[in-house]
Structures are given as C-alpha cells and as structure tokens.
Amino acid sequence: MNTFFITTPIYYANGEPHLGHAYTTTVADVLARYHRLMGHDVLFLTGMDEHGQKVELAARERNTSPQDFVDQMALAFRALWERLGISHDDFIRTTEGRHQHVVTEALQRVYDAGEIYSSDYEGWYSVYEEQFFTEKDLVDGKDPIGGREVVQLSEKNYFFKMSAYQEWLIDHIVAHPEFIQPVTRRNEILGFLRQPLGDLCISRPKARVAWGIPLPFDQDYVTYVWFDALLNYVTAAGYLSNEKAYSRWWPASCHLIGKDILTTHCVYWPTMLKAMGLPLPETIMAHGYWLVDAEKMGKSRGNAVEPLDLVESHGVDAFRYYLVREMTVGQDSTFTVESFQARYNGELANDLGNLVNRSIVMAERYVGGRLPVVDPLHPDLDPLRLRAEETASTIAQALPAYDTVAIVEAILSLVREANRFIEAKEPWALAKDETRRSDLETVIYGLGETLRQLALWLAPIMPEKSHAIWNQIGCEGDVANARKDALVWGGLPGGQSVRKMDPLFPKVDLEESATEESTEQTEEQGMAEESTTISFDEFQKLDLRVAIVKTAEKVEGADRLLKLQIDLGSEERQLVAGVAQHYEAESLVGRRIVVVANLEPATIRGVESQGMLLAASADGQLGLLAPDSDLPAGARVS
RNA sequence: GGCGGUGUAGCUCAGCUGGUUAGAGCAGUGGAAUCAUAAUCCAUGUGUCGGGGGUUCGAAUCCCUCCACCGCUACCA
C-alpha cells in the first residue's frame, strides 16, 4: 500500500500559537486527509519543541517549572488543533522519553563514528537569542537580530562535522529536484551551499542551560536545538524503537515547513541523517508567510479582526477553506477580511451553499424527498459526470504538486457546472409536466450524485460541512471514512430520503462579531520570532533629507499647523507641520530641518503636504531635528 | 555587489518543454430565469503579455539588455 508520511515542524513552546502555526498545520491536515481519501496509508505528525533557554526563562518568569510550562503550552496547541479539526496521528513532544532515547542514542552513534568533536568557542553571546555572534556581527555592541545585550563568553562546546557533507549534499539536491520545493527555495539553498559550510555547534553547557537532553558522552552538556528538535521526525517514525513502523514510514514523504526554517531542514537535517546512515526525506516543502493587513482587517471601523477570530464568526471549515484556497503553497499571501468575505460569500455561500440548498429543496418539493433510482450513465447527466471526472483527474495531478489552489478550483468548477445544469434543465418546468417525470427524476438524481461527489472532494478541506452535505443526501456513515472507490461516478444508489438542514454557509455580519482592537500595521506571521525591531533594509526605505525652510505661514483655521515651503536642493516642496504651538512661523524661515522626503503626500486641512518634518517631543516640549553643521539642502540622512 | 525569482485585463492570478482570434475567478455593464441563503445563469474586455533589441516561418513562452519589486547572500551603514 502507498504510504504518505507528512510532518509539520514541532512548534517552539515559548509562545502562543498563531496564524502561521495554524496555516502549516491546516495544510498538512488537508494533504493528509486527501491521501487517506486516495486510499494511502497516512502518518500525520505534529508536535512541540520544548527544550532550550527561552523555555527555561519563560517558565521562570511565570514562577513555574519548565515541564509545567511546556505542559501548558502543549495544551494550548492541542486545543487549537482540536478547534481546527486537525487529524494528526501523533503529537510528539521533545520532552518525552521516546524522543530523549533517540536523541541520546543518535548522538552516541555519531560521536562513536568520529563525527563530533569538541572545541573552544569564543564570542559574544546573546542570552535571548541563545546564540553566539562574532565581533563584526554586532550592531552597536548589541546582537544583530533583536538588538539585545550580549556578553563575551568563551566555552568548550561540541561540534558536528557538517562541513564534511557539503559536496555530498549539493549532489543530492542537484540529483533530486523534488527534494526542496518550491524551486526558488531550492535555488536559495544551492546558493547558500556555494559558500563553505561550517560545522554545527550541537551543545550548550549545563551550567548555562540546564533544560535539555544531556549529551551521552559528556554529562556537563545538553543538546542544542537542532540535534534535538529535528530528530523528532525519526523518533515518531519508530526509529530505534519499532523497526516495523520505522521501515514502513521512514523516509518521510514530506516535511512541510515555513520558509523561515529552510536552512535547518535543507542543510542541517540532511547532513545529520547522512551521518546517522539514514535515508533523506523525499520532499521538504517550504510555504510562505501570511501578511496580515491590519488596515484591511476592519480597522477603518475601529474594530480590527484577528484572523483566528474568523473561526468563531464564520466557522472552522470556512477558515480552513480560506487558508488553502487563498494561498498558493510556497508563495506569500495577504490575509484580509475583504478577501475572506469575498471567498465566503461568493464561493461558499452563493455557489456551494446555495447549490446544496436549492438541490435539496427541489428534491423535497418535486419528487417527495426521495432520491430517484436512475441510471447514473444516462446521457442527460453527461455534463455533470464529465465534469466530475475532470475534477477527479485535476485533483489527482494537483495533490502531489501540493497545489491546494488548483484542488479548490477543480471542485468549484464542479459546483458551477451543477448550477449551470439546473438552469439548463429547469426542474421547476419539468415538475409542471407529468409526461416529463422521468426527465425530472434524472435531473434530481444527477444533482444528488453531484452533491455526493462534492462532499467527498470537500471532506479533506471542510470536514464538518462536507459531512452535512453527506447527511442531507441521505448517505450513511462518516464521509471522512470514504475511500477511493466511493469516488466513482454513480455511487449514489438512489431511494434514500433527503434531510434538509439549515443553510451551510449563512451570511455573516462581521461588524457585530468583530471586537478586538488592534494597533498593528502589516505584520508578518511566520514561525520566526516576532521582533519589534526593523531591519536595515526597512530603515533604508526612508528617504530622510536636510531641507531649508524658505517660507512659513499659519494654516487658516488650524491652530497647530504651519505651511512650509522648503528647499530640498533639487526641488522645492510644500509641507504641513504640526508645530505652530511651539514655533512662530517667522522663526523657522532659513532654518535647516530634517524631513521624510518620500512620504506619500497627504492633504491636511485642505493643504497638501509633500513630506514630513521631523521633531522630537516629550512632556509637551518639542524640538526640531537639525544637522549639526550647515549642510546643503537635500543632503541625505543615514 | 553576487545568486535567484517576479512583473499577463480594474483586482487576485493560470498560461509546461515556442504554434489556431492570450485565459479563469472577482469587480463593472446589459439581459434571462425564479427551485434557492436577493442565491443562479447568459452575454460583454481596443489587455503595448514591464521597456528595448535579437533568434524563428511564428514568442507571453527561447536569448541579450534595461527598469521596478521581492527573496537569499556579501559588504556598508
């Protein structure tokens, strides 16, 4: 039997789950469910990464033990997976005995093979990032990632000879185009591997970090993140514990990850496996980020919407549907209420929900609620049958390509075909003509069978709603348990009674359900650590310039605004500044100021402002920023 | 700076190894129908396929170049 072993990353237990986690896990769930539908033997794994200093610190802050803390976090994640209808087969935690055993044993083997050595390491260490930095990495004496304190530290650590595997890894990636997907990420890794590859530090001294798995060959150290976390994939497969399971599941079919942990999965993990003498996973699929546009999340109404809130307002299935429908796996996408509502109203409520509703109503009204027994291959049903077969073949191609968007579109095309079919056949007209009774029955049967097909194909994406469809056409059992043979056209026997239910996707008034306020702008939600700092690139987007004030006057009808004409060197600009309560207009003329030159123009009190003057303020005091010397107008600030 | 990617209708995007009048969904406009969650169906686009050059009988699709944006990476800050 075909096996399909899919994993999500194990999520780090130092923060609450968010959209990024939800997306990865939902896509993995949808893929797992499709493979089950196709009759494959599936192992779907997710879990938690629970060791490390950040967990230790978080636990201390809450006055609890690390184990208590991670237990709570694991509960929070499990609760979300339950809410989202995730059908994982295993939930692994790195604090479990089965995993500690594998890590210990694997380390000992690699050590015995001479692939691990110890060495002194000296550098600047950030407690927060749990990382060393070289002198030149530092930015203003702070760590380059979060700008936090660093301390000089020299310590012995253990290293894995990762560098020895560089050529082998390149060869493997080149020889296996499916290994890293999408191709842009593959190129990235190949680019990364053109530089010399270093060795991998795999330890932390217990004196500094106690919360981890001790190195078997040196009890003064614990295992550092990668040689711990990544091994979860083989632990869960049964490595070193269940030979039968292991040989069945390993190597994994797919590690689904976010693009933020590409290197660890595409470089560290393969070399680790190689050193252990284990085969590599077939595919590492890196998806993109959801950009959450707070502006478009209802902020204009003063009440922003958190993506996960939509689960409560519109239901889990609509949320799952949106995730796999809107984002092409591998690319970034923007999460907005507008697009969510457009999908919900247009595709789910109008096209699909209404199709189900009108079909069931017609079955009740025109044929007494009992689905007729009709030859599924009746020529009148050809449009539906052919379209259903097309849907099936499209999905069969899209599934191995991880193309969730194509899967959804294939299903929607069947929905639209059915709506078109109804218009063409006009069952309401047939119902008025006794002589056309059999035509009518054929039509009703065709709709019933199409709904059955839809329920089956939608089940992996929308488990609850698809089951509701399944029930309404009188099918028994759980649609989630259906397998490939059920997908053959004509599986509806006929003769069973329809059971009308409430509309599947009622229109929702979001204004009432939106409550939480949010001040966030666009925020990236991957699995990367959130950071309040900005990158240098982001800073560079600002075009700050020195300007000289030519004229200044008060803006009519505004007591805080001044209208300034400024000399930017290459051009003159007009801008509006809210400094009238601190500066007389005349006193500014001739002064050098600093402005944001590439700010989008705005009209304030009817006056256009082509930029923004910079000033600092505190406790009601205000001071203009100005260069220390008589620089020319237009000088760039950086 | 190096490597890679993207740029196709108002919006979101399909268009594989070059080949009939460049497509889908949404939005817009006009119409039909009434079983249905005012839900559906039909019709409707003069799109410089980012600009320029080239290869070819023929290019959105291949090559070169330029521009814009994005990612990785280096360096500067």
Side-chain angles (χ1 to χ4, degrees), chain A residues 6-29 44-51 55 69-70 73-74 76-78 80-81 84 86 88 90-95 225-226 229-230 232-233 255-258 260-261 265 287 525-529:
Chain A
I6 185 168
T7 69
T8 73
I10 48 174
Y11 302 115
Y12 197 44
N14 77 329
E16 302 286 330
H18 60 234
L19 179 61
H21 301 118
Y23 176 71
T24 314
T25 310
T26 300
V27 171
D29 185 59
F44 171 20
L45 172 70
T46 187
M48 304 290 296
D49 175 14
E50 305 187 323
H51 290 124
V55 163
F69 178 70
V70 297
M73 293 310 300
F77 276 82
R78 293 188 108 126
L80 179 59
W81 302 153
L84 293 179
I86 304 302
H88 51 278
D90 195 354
F91 186 92
I92 191 169
R93 301 176 56 187
T94 54
T95 49
V225 55
W226 306 117
L230 287 164
N232 90 85
Y233 300 132
H255 290 321
L256 184 67
I257 63 171
D260 53 316
I261 47 176
H265 281 75
H287 70 246
Q525 299 217 15
M527 275 161 300
E529 283 308 307

XYZ file of all heavy atoms in Angstrom, chain A residues 6-29 44-51 55 69-70 73-74 76-78 80-81 84 86 88 90-95 225-226 229-230 232-233 255-258 260-261 265 287 525-529:
569
model
N 3.619 12.673 6.474
C 3.778 14.131 6.394
C 3.963 14.707 7.785
O 3.336 14.251 8.747
C 2.589 14.809 5.679
C 2.863 16.304 5.523
C 1.258 14.529 6.396
C 1.919 17.012 4.592
N 4.844 15.701 7.874
C 5.127 16.312 9.170
C 4.941 17.817 9.099
O 5.104 18.422 8.040
C 6.588 16.071 9.589
O 7.458 16.820 8.715
C 6.959 14.605 9.509
N 4.597 18.396 10.225
C 4.743 19.841 10.393
C 6.008 20.017 11.221
O 6.505 19.041 11.782
C 3.576 20.466 11.178
O 3.696 20.104 12.556
C 2.232 20.008 10.631
N 6.515 21.230 11.321
C 7.594 21.421 12.286
C 7.023 21.165 13.679
O 5.809 21.252 13.875
C 7.957 22.902 12.138
C 7.369 23.338 10.835
C 6.163 22.482 10.637
N 7.891 20.862 14.629
C 7.392 20.873 16.003
C 7.531 22.313 16.465
O 8.561 22.951 16.265
C 8.162 19.879 16.891
C 9.665 20.025 16.723
C 7.720 18.462 16.563
C 10.452 19.154 17.689
N 6.475 22.830 17.038
C 6.426 24.259 17.335
C 7.103 24.562 18.662
O 6.962 23.812 19.631
C 4.976 24.723 17.330
C 4.309 24.431 16.000
C 3.254 23.533 15.890
C 4.793 25.034 14.827
C 2.673 23.248 14.664
C 4.222 24.748 13.595
C 3.162 23.856 13.522
O 2.603 23.576 12.310
N 7.814 25.662 18.693
C 8.569 26.006 19.897
C 7.625 26.471 20.992
O 6.759 27.326 20.775
C 9.625 27.072 19.587
C 10.672 27.152 20.679
C 11.216 25.991 21.219
C 11.113 28.374 21.168
C 12.163 26.031 22.221
C 12.080 28.438 22.176
C 12.593 27.249 22.701
O 13.529 27.303 23.692
N 7.837 25.925 22.163
C 6.860 26.074 23.251
C 7.004 27.367 24.036
O 6.547 27.442 25.157
C 6.986 24.888 24.201
N 7.598 28.384 23.444
C 7.742 29.593 24.265
C 6.730 30.666 23.940
O 6.808 31.774 24.455
C 9.163 30.160 24.161
C 9.373 30.895 22.855
O 8.763 30.541 21.857
N 10.201 31.908 22.881
N 5.765 30.384 23.079
C 4.751 31.387 22.770
C 3.451 30.750 22.332
O 3.405 29.563 22.006
N 2.393 31.540 22.361
C 1.075 31.042 21.988
C 1.017 30.772 20.486
O 1.716 31.415 19.706
C 0.010 32.097 22.331
C -0.033 32.499 23.790
C -0.664 31.418 24.664
O -1.535 30.685 24.156
O -0.263 31.305 25.840
N 0.166 29.833 20.096
C 0.009 29.550 18.665
C -0.622 30.726 17.922
O -1.447 31.442 18.480
C -0.920 28.333 18.640
C -1.611 28.321 19.948
C -0.655 28.942 20.923
N -0.231 30.916 16.677
C -0.795 31.991 15.873
C -1.101 31.509 14.460
O -0.992 30.321 14.160
C 0.137 33.207 15.869
C 1.494 32.898 15.299
N 2.664 33.163 15.980
C 1.879 32.313 14.154
C 3.697 32.771 15.242
N 3.238 32.244 14.128
N -1.451 32.449 13.610
C -1.857 32.107 12.250
C -0.822 31.273 11.504
O -1.177 30.361 10.759
C -2.158 33.392 11.468
C -2.572 33.208 10.007
C -3.850 32.404 9.889
C -2.719 34.560 9.317
N 0.452 31.597 11.679
C 1.498 30.852 10.988
C 1.451 29.373 11.341
O 1.518 28.510 10.470
N 1.320 29.088 12.629
C 1.196 27.689 13.058
C -0.063 27.066 12.469
O -0.054 25.929 11.997
C 1.085 27.605 14.583
C 2.240 28.195 15.328
N 2.095 29.254 16.186
C 3.558 27.871 15.343
C 3.279 29.548 16.725
N 4.181 28.735 16.217
N -1.142 27.830 12.530
C -2.432 27.304 12.070
C -2.369 26.948 10.588
O -2.901 25.925 10.162
C -3.544 28.317 12.324
N -1.700 27.781 9.820
C -1.633 27.538 8.389
C -0.868 26.247 8.087
O -1.355 25.369 7.383
C -0.977 28.707 7.651
C -0.823 28.409 6.175
C -1.944 28.374 5.352
C 0.420 28.125 5.613
C -1.822 28.057 3.998
C 0.552 27.816 4.273
C -0.573 27.787 3.468
O -0.456 27.464 2.143
N 0.342 26.140 8.606
C 1.152 24.954 8.336
C 0.381 23.690 8.696
O 0.337 22.718 7.935
C 2.447 24.967 9.181
O 3.034 26.263 9.113
C 3.423 23.938 8.675
N -0.198 23.713 9.863
C -0.852 22.507 10.354
C -2.108 22.193 9.546
O -2.414 21.035 9.275
C -1.181 22.675 11.848
O -0.006 23.115 12.533
C -1.653 21.368 12.450
N -2.818 23.240 9.136
C -4.027 23.017 8.343
C -3.690 22.448 6.964
O -4.348 21.513 6.493
C -4.810 24.338 8.179
O -5.180 24.816 9.474
C -6.073 24.114 7.359
N -2.678 22.994 6.328
C -2.288 22.462 5.017
C -1.863 20.999 5.152
O -2.269 20.149 4.349
C -1.143 23.293 4.401
C -0.598 22.602 3.155
C -1.642 24.687 4.051
N -1.082 20.723 6.176
C -0.661 19.332 6.385
C -1.880 18.437 6.597
O -1.944 17.313 6.079
C 0.276 19.241 7.592
N -2.846 18.952 7.325
C -4.055 18.173 7.595
C -4.829 17.896 6.307
O -5.294 16.793 6.062
C -4.947 18.929 8.589
C -6.158 18.105 8.997
O -5.961 17.008 9.543
O -7.298 18.546 8.727
N 0.466 11.291 9.941
C 0.488 12.756 10.003
C 0.976 13.132 11.389
O 0.340 12.845 12.388
C -0.925 13.282 9.713
C -1.116 14.763 9.950
C -0.061 15.666 10.006
C -2.404 15.264 10.110
C -0.263 17.018 10.221
C -2.621 16.628 10.329
C -1.549 17.490 10.389
N 2.130 13.811 11.393
C 2.818 14.103 12.653
C 2.931 15.603 12.900
O 3.303 16.367 12.014
C 4.235 13.506 12.593
C 5.195 13.855 13.736
C 4.762 13.176 15.024
C 6.623 13.457 13.365
N 2.623 16.006 14.115
C 2.938 17.366 14.542
C 3.405 17.265 15.995
O 3.442 16.169 16.555
C 1.741 18.325 14.389
O 2.173 19.662 14.659
C 0.591 17.970 15.329
N 3.753 18.383 16.601
C 4.224 18.291 17.979
C 4.882 19.559 18.479
O 4.703 20.630 17.896
N 5.653 19.399 19.545
C 6.215 20.552 20.232
C 7.713 20.394 20.471
O 8.179 19.314 20.839
C 5.542 20.720 21.616
C 4.037 20.829 21.600
S 3.424 22.360 20.907
C 4.061 23.553 22.067
N 8.413 21.485 20.324
C 9.832 21.572 20.638
C 9.920 22.264 21.999
O 9.564 23.424 22.122
C 10.525 22.399 19.548
C 11.988 22.653 19.851
O 12.534 21.984 20.760
O 12.578 23.522 19.186
N 10.359 21.564 23.010
C 10.122 22.050 24.378
C 11.372 22.325 25.202
O 11.261 22.662 26.376
C 9.234 21.036 25.114
C 7.943 20.758 24.353
C 6.959 19.887 25.117
O 7.405 18.967 25.826
O 5.753 20.156 25.004
N 12.535 22.181 24.598
C 13.739 22.440 25.379
C 14.288 23.841 25.104
O 13.762 24.566 24.273
C 14.812 21.381 25.078
C 14.472 20.034 25.619
N 14.406 18.908 24.833
C 14.128 19.644 26.876
C 14.064 17.865 25.583
N 13.886 18.286 26.828
N 12.567 28.636 26.885
C 11.524 27.960 27.667
C 11.854 28.069 29.157
O 10.987 28.368 29.976
C 11.402 26.480 27.243
C 10.651 25.676 28.284
C 10.711 26.382 25.895
N 5.465 24.403 32.458
C 5.240 25.416 31.433
C 4.977 24.782 30.067
O 4.008 25.120 29.394
C 6.439 26.364 31.365
C 6.312 27.400 30.300
C 5.390 28.434 30.412
C 7.108 27.328 29.167
C 5.265 29.376 29.412
C 6.988 28.275 28.157
C 6.059 29.297 28.284
N 5.833 23.849 29.679
C 5.629 23.248 28.356
C 4.365 22.385 28.320
O 3.729 22.253 27.281
C 6.860 22.432 27.889
C 8.058 23.344 27.730
C 7.150 21.263 28.814
N 1.762 24.852 27.461
C 1.827 25.254 26.063
C 1.325 24.146 25.142
O 0.618 24.399 24.177
C 3.263 25.626 25.684
C 3.788 26.875 26.360
S 2.680 28.294 26.247
C 2.582 28.484 24.480
N 1.683 22.933 25.480
C 1.233 21.806 24.657
C -0.292 21.739 24.670
O -0.929 21.458 23.652
C 1.830 20.501 25.173
N -2.271 24.291 24.985
C -2.783 25.392 24.156
C -2.750 25.020 22.679
O -3.706 25.264 21.940
C -1.960 26.656 24.399
N -1.660 24.391 22.262
C -1.565 23.990 20.857
C -2.565 22.880 20.535
O -3.248 22.930 19.515
C -0.127 23.540 20.523
C 0.781 24.690 20.190
C 1.375 25.441 21.196
C 1.023 25.046 18.875
C 2.203 26.519 20.894
C 1.855 26.117 18.561
C 2.436 26.859 19.572
N -2.655 21.923 21.430
C -3.603 20.824 21.177
C -5.019 21.355 21.097
O -5.829 20.869 20.298
C -3.517 19.777 22.290
C -2.213 19.034 22.326
C -2.279 17.886 23.329
N -2.338 16.615 22.632
C -1.497 15.603 22.857
N -0.561 15.714 23.770
N -1.610 14.486 22.184
N -5.960 24.249 20.016
C -6.171 24.882 18.715
C -6.340 23.819 17.631
O -7.206 23.943 16.760
C -5.001 25.811 18.377
C -5.109 26.515 17.014
C -6.380 27.364 16.934
C -3.885 27.367 16.737
N -5.537 22.769 17.711
C -5.654 21.724 16.675
C -7.020 21.056 16.743
O -7.622 20.743 15.726
C -4.548 20.689 16.798
C -3.163 21.261 16.711
C -2.038 20.726 17.267
C -2.738 22.463 16.036
N -0.949 21.521 16.985
C -1.353 22.601 16.246
C -3.390 23.450 15.310
C -0.604 23.662 15.728
C -2.660 24.526 14.805
C -1.291 24.613 15.010
N -9.474 23.362 15.169
C -9.336 23.438 13.716
C -9.581 22.099 13.027
O -9.430 21.977 11.817
C -7.942 23.966 13.347
C -7.673 25.426 13.729
C -6.256 25.824 13.323
C -8.687 26.363 13.086
N -7.908 19.275 13.253
C -6.687 18.652 12.756
C -6.686 17.159 13.094
O -6.968 16.772 14.225
C -5.441 19.336 13.385
C -5.470 20.844 13.105
C -4.162 18.690 12.853
C -5.524 21.236 11.640
N -4.185 14.842 13.146
C -2.849 14.255 13.266
C -2.926 12.878 13.914
O -3.765 12.621 14.761
C -1.934 15.177 14.078
C -2.521 15.602 15.389
N -3.406 16.641 15.498
C -2.359 15.114 16.624
C -3.756 16.782 16.768
N -3.143 15.869 17.472
N -0.162 11.594 15.389
C 0.779 11.571 16.509
C 1.121 13.010 16.870
O 1.155 13.896 16.002
C 2.059 10.816 16.098
C 2.913 10.429 17.303
O 2.576 10.841 18.438
O 3.914 9.713 17.101
N 1.320 13.238 18.141
C 1.699 14.556 18.636
C 2.928 14.334 19.492
O 2.837 13.866 20.624
C 0.541 15.131 19.458
C 0.752 16.551 19.922
C 0.298 17.618 19.153
C 1.385 16.830 21.133
C 0.471 18.936 19.581
C 1.565 18.145 21.560
C 1.102 19.192 20.775
N 4.075 14.661 18.926
C 5.318 14.336 19.627
C 5.806 15.542 20.422
O 5.628 16.688 20.008
C 6.410 13.861 18.641
C 7.592 13.281 19.424
C 6.858 15.008 17.729
C 8.588 12.561 18.533
N 6.392 15.262 21.574
C 6.975 16.332 22.394
C 8.405 15.929 22.711
O 8.668 14.783 23.079
C 6.160 16.500 23.686
C 4.696 16.831 23.394
C 3.885 16.896 24.665
N 4.460 17.846 25.605
C 4.020 17.995 26.863
N 3.024 17.257 27.314
N 4.593 18.874 27.661
N 9.309 16.894 22.576
C 10.726 16.535 22.730
C 11.085 16.180 24.162
O 12.175 15.676 24.416
C 11.650 17.678 22.243
O 11.294 18.887 22.925
C 11.501 17.892 20.747
N 10.178 16.455 25.099
C 10.451 16.069 26.483
C 10.016 14.632 26.773
O 10.215 14.136 27.875
C 9.714 17.004 27.465
O 8.341 17.109 27.067
C 10.339 18.379 27.479
N 19.507 22.871 20.199
C 18.250 22.710 19.487
C 18.191 21.730 18.321
O 17.369 20.822 18.308
C 17.678 24.093 19.063
C 18.678 24.889 18.261
C 16.379 23.947 18.304
N 19.086 21.839 17.308
C 18.819 21.066 16.094
C 19.001 19.572 16.250
O 18.228 18.795 15.701
C 19.661 21.607 14.935
C 19.421 23.077 14.788
C 20.321 24.088 14.947
C 18.161 23.710 14.536
N 19.701 25.302 14.806
C 18.383 25.104 14.555
C 16.866 23.244 14.311
C 17.368 26.037 14.351
C 15.851 24.165 14.108
C 16.106 25.535 14.128
N 15.611 18.819 18.229
C 14.300 19.012 17.593
C 14.130 18.224 16.298
O 13.125 17.539 16.107
C 14.071 20.491 17.338
N 15.091 18.306 15.398
C 14.906 17.681 14.087
C 14.705 16.168 14.178
O 13.998 15.566 13.378
C 16.108 18.004 13.180
C 16.148 19.452 12.681
C 17.526 19.792 12.128
C 15.075 19.676 11.618
N 12.941 14.585 15.956
C 11.566 14.167 16.275
C 10.940 13.382 15.130
O 10.119 12.495 15.336
C 10.702 15.387 16.603
C 10.020 15.981 15.381
O 8.948 15.527 14.984
N 10.634 16.982 14.772
N 11.355 13.745 13.917
C 10.740 13.098 12.759
C 11.026 11.600 12.711
O 10.170 10.817 12.308
C 11.246 13.762 11.468
C 10.942 15.248 11.360
C 11.939 16.159 10.991
C 9.666 15.742 11.603
C 11.679 17.510 10.870
C 9.394 17.104 11.488
C 10.403 17.982 11.118
O 10.139 19.324 10.997
N 8.265 16.946 4.594
C 8.357 17.852 5.735
C 7.783 19.178 5.273
O 8.394 19.874 4.457
C 9.814 18.089 6.145
C 10.494 16.906 6.760
N 9.873 16.048 7.639
C 11.764 16.450 6.630
C 10.735 15.115 8.027
N 11.885 15.332 7.424
N 6.621 19.517 5.761
C 6.045 20.816 5.427
C 6.570 21.830 6.439
O 6.448 21.620 7.648
C 4.513 20.740 5.492
C 3.749 21.985 5.070
C 3.932 22.241 3.577
C 2.265 21.842 5.388
N 7.167 22.902 5.941
C 7.757 23.885 6.858
C 7.454 25.300 6.376
O 6.977 25.494 5.252
C 9.303 23.731 6.937
C 9.916 24.015 5.564
C 9.690 22.363 7.454
C 11.432 24.111 5.570
N 7.725 26.277 7.203
C 7.675 27.663 6.782
C 9.045 28.039 6.249
O 10.045 27.419 6.599
N 11.002 30.209 6.932
C 11.964 30.714 7.908
C 12.890 29.627 8.440
O 13.947 29.930 8.984
C 11.223 31.382 9.070
C 10.169 30.462 9.661
O 9.440 29.829 8.881
O 10.095 30.368 10.896
N 12.519 28.380 8.325
C 13.386 27.324 8.841
C 13.891 26.438 7.706
O 14.071 25.230 7.857
C 12.675 26.476 9.918
C 11.278 26.074 9.452
C 12.598 27.245 11.226
C 10.572 25.151 10.436
N 16.256 22.679 7.829
C 15.699 21.451 7.271
C 16.406 20.975 6.005
O 16.390 19.791 5.708
C 14.206 21.631 6.995
C 13.372 21.506 8.227
N 13.311 22.494 9.175
C 12.589 20.497 8.685
C 12.518 22.097 10.158
N 12.059 20.901 9.889
N 6.544 26.652 2.717
C 5.475 27.580 2.331
C 5.860 29.009 2.709
O 6.865 29.245 3.376
C 4.140 27.183 2.963
C 4.094 27.393 4.448
N 3.988 26.364 5.348
C 4.166 28.521 5.192
C 3.977 26.857 6.576
N 4.100 28.155 6.511
N 3.576 36.982 9.865
C 3.377 35.922 10.831
C 3.872 34.613 10.279
O 3.136 33.861 9.683
C 1.895 35.779 11.169
C 1.349 37.038 11.781
C 0.336 36.726 12.854
O 0.243 35.608 13.310
N -0.412 37.724 13.252
N 5.120 34.374 10.440
C 5.640 33.070 10.093
C 5.870 32.362 11.400
O 5.226 32.668 12.385
N 6.816 31.468 11.406
C 7.133 30.885 12.684
C 8.370 31.522 13.267
O 8.856 31.116 14.292
C 7.316 29.388 12.536
C 5.982 28.711 12.610
S 6.076 27.094 11.924
C 6.582 27.486 10.297
N 8.855 32.521 12.560
C 10.007 33.232 13.080
C 9.598 33.981 14.343
O 8.437 34.280 14.556
C 10.518 34.217 12.050
N 10.576 34.253 15.159
C 10.301 35.040 16.343
C 9.776 36.404 15.934
O 10.260 37.027 15.009
C 11.604 35.222 17.137
C 11.986 33.995 17.907
C 10.857 33.499 18.763
O 10.317 34.298 19.533
O 10.483 32.319 18.639
